[in-house]
Amino acid sequence: VDTTACMGANTSAPLPEYEEVQASLFPRDAGLAVQLDDGRRIGYMCYGAPTDTAHAHVLLFHGTPGSRFFCPEGTHAADMDVCLVVLERPGYGLSDPKENRTIKEWAEDVREIVDKLHIRRFGVIAYSAGGPYGLAVAHDLGEWTDADGNRRLLGVSIVSSVAPSGVPDVTTNMPYVFRLAYFLSSYLPSLLYPIVKYSGGQYLSNPVFTGRDDWTKHHASDQEYYKTPAVEKLFLISALEMYSRQQWTTEAYEYTLWNRPWGFDLHDIRAPVCVWQGTVDQGCTLPMGRHIAATVPHARLEVGENKGHLMFFDVWEDALRFAAA
C-alpha cells in the first residue's frame, strides 16, 4: 500500500507514524468494569478529578467505532472538579454484548451503573452514534430524584448526533457513501456486517492510512481537523481497541438501530438538553440537530457555522460545563 497519500485525499506529504497506534499493541487491558445484576460487565475509564472526591460526574457516550479510550479531555474536567466516566455500550471494548438490545435499554444500564459506582448526581455528553443513547437517558432518567428530592441527572449535552428516522431532508449534504449506509441499515442490514468487518480489517492492517481515507468522505473542514495529531490518535486508538477484539457485529448492529423505533418520544424528555450541531456536518446533518432541538422541550440549540462532525472538539469545554451544571 502506498502510504504517501490517501485515496481521494489532497496530500503528498508522508503519513505520520504514531508509536502508540499499532495493531500489535491492542487490545489493551487498561480500564475498569462494573458488573450488572444480570451478570454482564460494562467497561469504563475515568478521567479528570478523582471519582471519590469530584464535585460532579459526567458520563461520556462515544460514537462508533469507539471505546473507553475516546476522551478529548485535557485539563478541563480536573479544573472543573469533574470526574469524566467514559462508558462502553454492550459489545464494545470490555463490555459484554447483549443480544437484541435496544437504544432505550441503555438508560436502565446507566441507572444501575450510577448506583453501583456510588454516583449521586451526574451529567451526560453524548457524541455522534452515542447521541441516541444520551437522549434515552434524558428521557428515562430526567425526573429521577434522590432521597432529598433533587434530580440526579444534571444536564445532557448532545453533540453531532444521529436523529430518529423520518426527519425531513436528513440526507441533505450527505455524500453517496453515507446515504448508502442509511439505506442499507433500513432495507438490507445483512450487508452491513461484511462491510464493517472489511473496514475493521483495513484499520488493523494500516490504521493511519485507513483513518485518513475514511475522513475523505467528510467535509473539507473535518478532513483538516482530523489531521491534528491528538484528534487522529484518539479516533485510531478507539478503533483499534474495538476492531482488535473483532467487535464488528456490535458496530453493524448499532447502525440498524438508528432507523428502527427508539422506544421513546423526544417530546417527553424533561431533562435539561443542549444540542450542538455544525452546518457542514455530512455524517450527522444539520436537519438532524435542528429536529432534536425542536422536538425536545426547552432544548437549547448551538449551531456552529462552517463546522463539521469534529465540532465536538471545539465545543468540548462548553458541553462539559453544561452537563456538569
Side-chain angles (χ1 to χ4, degrees):
V1 176
D2 177 10
T3 59
T4 61
C6 296
M7 294 180 293
N10 296 319
T11 177
S12 58
L15 295 180
E17 295 183 6
Y18 300 122
E19 185 176 340
E20 61 270 61
V21 181
Q22 300 178 44
S24 60
L25 301 177
F26 294 85
R28 295 181 175 179
D29 294 329
L32 300 166
V34 57
Q35 187 167 7
L36 304 183
D37 290 343
D38 63 6
R40 288 182 296 118
R41 298 177 310 149
I42 297 293
Y44 68 97
M45 184 81 87
C46 294
Y47 303 83
T51 185
D52 55 344
T53 61
H55 172 71
H57 289 75
V58 171
L59 313 181
L60 173 58
F61 302 163
H62 57 73
T64 189
S67 77
R68 64 197 178 280
F69 299 122
F70 189 82
C71 178
E73 176 56 25
T75 62
H76 299 305
D79 291 345
M80 294 167 58
D81 198 21
V82 169
C83 177
L84 186 66
V85 184
V86 183
L87 293 178
E88 294 175 318
R89 295 186 292 280
Y92 285 92
L94 300 176
S95 293
D96 294 325
K98 181 181 182 182
E99 189 174 1
N100 297 322
R101 65 180 172 90
T102 66
I103 291 172
K104 190 177 188 298
E105 288 172 349
W106 177 241
E108 289 309 305
D109 283 353
V110 169
R111 186 195 300 269
E112 194 173 339
I113 291 164
V114 166
D115 277 345
K116 287 184 178 295
L117 296 182
H118 307 291
I119 296 172
R120 190 172 68 88
R121 304 186 73 194
F122 66 99
V124 168
I125 300 175
Y127 174 55
S128 188
Y133 300 90
L135 292 166
V137 169
H139 179 274
D140 281 22
L141 306 186
E143 296 182 300
W144 186 25
T145 59
D146 61 20
D148 298 322
N150 299 311
R151 287 195 178 190
R152 297 187 66 175
L153 181 57
L154 300 169
V156 179
S157 295
I158 302 294
V159 188
S160 304
S161 174
V162 178
S165 62
V167 177
D169 303 318
V170 70
T171 58
T172 299
N173 294 328
M174 272 191 188
Y176 169 75
V177 67
F178 291 160
R179 294 199 304 271
L180 176 61
Y182 267 83
F183 175 83
L184 293 177
S185 69
S186 296
Y187 301 106
L188 292 170
S190 61
L191 293 182
L192 289 171
Y193 175 81
I195 293 172
V196 171
K197 183 177 180 180
Y198 173 78
S199 176
Q202 294 297 103
Y203 269 96
L204 293 173
S205 298
N206 199 333
V208 177
F209 177 84
T210 304
R212 291 278 180 103
D213 186 45
D214 268 358
W215 280 91
T216 63
K217 303 173 181 68
H218 288 260
H219 190 267
S221 62
D222 277 334
Q223 294 179 40
E224 289 305 310
Y225 207 133
Y226 177 78
K227 295 174 186 176
T228 306
V231 172
E232 185 167 33
K233 286 191 288 186
L234 191 63
F235 278 97
L236 291 176
I237 287 171
S238 273
L240 289 174
E241 173 65 15
M242 181 180 175
Y243 291 140
S244 65
R245 296 176 183 271
Q246 300 185 356
Q247 293 169 331
W248 4 88
T249 301
T250 297
E251 182 178 353
Y253 181 70
E254 281 214 339
Y255 292 145
T256 70
L257 292 178
W258 296 349
N259 289 322
R260 298 180 188 177
W262 287 9
F264 60 94
D265 194 326
L266 298 184
H267 288 99
D268 297 329
I269 291 176
R270 297 295 177 263
V273 172
C274 185
V275 179
W276 278 269
Q277 179 64 52
T279 59
V280 295
D281 190 334
Q282 295 180 322
C284 297
T285 57
L286 182 59
M288 293 186 184
R290 289 195 184 281
H291 173 80
I292 293 170
T295 308
V296 174
H298 310 297
R300 195 172 96 202
L301 175 63
E302 297 287 345
V303 175
E305 293 296 332
N306 298 314
K307 298 290 185 180
H309 202 61
L310 298 184
M311 176 186 177
F312 178 63
F313 297 92
D314 289 331
V315 304
W316 170 250
E317 185 175 1
D318 292 336
L320 184 62
R321 196 175 303 279
F322 182 87

